[in-house]
Amino acid sequence: MATGVKRGSARRGVSRGAAQVRTTARQAAATRPAKQGSKQAPRVPVSSRRSGVCAFAAPSEDTAMAKPAMVELPKTPQDIVFVAAEVAPWSKTGGLGDVVGGLPIELAKRGHRVMTVAPRYDQYSDAWDTSVVLEIMGERVGFFHSKKKGVDRVFIDHPCFLAKVWGKTGSKLYGLKSGADFVDNSKRFRIFCEAAIEAARCLPFSYGEDVTFVANDWHSALVPVLLRDVYKPSGQFLDAKCAFCVHNIAFQGRFWQDTWDKLGLPDSSKEIFEFDDGYDKVFTEDEPDEEDEESLKELGLTYAKLNWMKAGFLSSDKNVTVSPNYAEEVVSNPSKGVELDNVIAEAGGIEGIVNGMDSETFNPLKCKFIPVRYGPQSVAEGKAAAKEALQAELGLDVDPAAPLVGFVGRLEEQKGVDVMLAAVDQIVSETNCQVVILGTGKKSYEAKVKKVMGKGGRTAAVVKFAPRVARMIFAGSDYLLVPSRFEPCGLIQMQGMAYGAVPIVASTGGLVDTVKEGVTGFHMGALDPDALVEEDVQAVAETVAFAAQKYGTAAFEEMRDACIKQDLSWSEPARKWEALVEEMKAVEVEEAVAKKESVATPVAKV
């Protein structure tokens, strides 16, 4: 657990219960924009299931050959079906896509049979038509399939997905732009949830009904509802279990009550959806959220809605989220739980499992985007070369003595972009740091980043989607700034640490579980949840200055080395997920609980 304090402030310190942003219902009603994923490699044969011990290659330092690592596999392999609106690399808006892309691969390595189910948003060249067609909600729905790295990737084929998003047009998964969701999203994801359940038993490689579903975020929240209130009462999927995993509680799937009749659910189910909030809009194409629009909340007025996430919590067999600290935050009060804290308590609580990261893609020993590949034993030389290249490419002074601070992320309030931009002038004037920002997001923030950055050879900005530049920033930066108001888990800080960049983070959510003060990074305390305040600007500037004082010292080198030497892959989180599934399925429960407890967070291991 991080133990730092906000420098320059006695108001908020760092603790497992550190303050998280109070997310408004405006954010909760919105969904996020997407960017289409790239294509995958050709199909590989279906791997066989087995128990015992599995040998596979693990990365080794600066060597061509890796020594096989022995992994103890479970005695009773499970059939697991992940249901999500996105799956990397085919579709992705953020961490959700990464999790559903990476975690199933690790579970398959451990001997489980694993399927992911996501919408077919594009003409994926590596997925074949199974020829299976079902009628769901009066609509013909098809199923496409790809087998990659031991995981069955299933895509639900229907015009409500393909016709809306297909093509390189910048169209998004949930709406044409953030805060303007497709008006038929309740219908789209109602069809999707039922099709995902059917995928477990209707395809040529059928898993059957004795499976464990992992439904992810509000788009999949009807999976546990359908299982509990439709399938099981009719004698179907009687032995199935369902975990509901929340990646960001701010996005809950709030709809007007007039959408209820279109869901085709029993009237008795409606109660678990009912929800009141103080906002007179549900942000769609017809009623979009405007960046400069004043708050719609009027004191004393409430509006009846349906809340899919609430129903998911109350219907699932187990509720999970993406870090232990975030799990504590969302039940601590209505602000941090975005008005669902009591619902989670009623549902039996929530567990946190820290996400892993893709250690193949984000690996400086294999990265094709950096000038010199490096590992833990050559991190100083590799990062020096990357820093020089990054400085030259972005127009910064080529100065190895200047601490380089990078930021990679969405340009929006959650990420603390306004606080960071307000602190840049002080950082540059009071230290010899250079600051680089990469990201896209709200147009107002994109404009402000361009205005504030790019001056005097000390600051630079790249306002576009640029994976190559992101890798260069990870490799070339000495520090990675993550000033998030809230962060359920966060991947950026882990990706940066994999390249030896020392994180400077706000003390919230998964940042508390993954960055250890004075060992693998620096904590600035928790930021104000609602507003841009001078105290937070000072906290960012002073924490960067404090970190910069360490640059070039033995203490800094120890922190950099501690960062890059960590195993932040999916290996350990997958063991904990495996144990959670075993516990749900009542398979060797005592051993499963012991296995869960044996998996430590990154901060507990350094």
Side-chain angles (χ1 to χ4, degrees), residues 451-467:
K451 182 178 180 180
V452 171
M453 306 299 288
K455 300 176 181 178
R458 301 280 301 283
T459 64
V462 178
V463 183
K464 63 180 181 180
F465 180 73

Side-chain angles (χ1 to χ4, degrees), residues 395-412:
L396 298 169
D397 295 335
V398 179
D399 180 2
L404 182 53
V405 180
F407 171 89
V408 178
R410 297 195 305 275
L411 304 181
E412 58 184 40

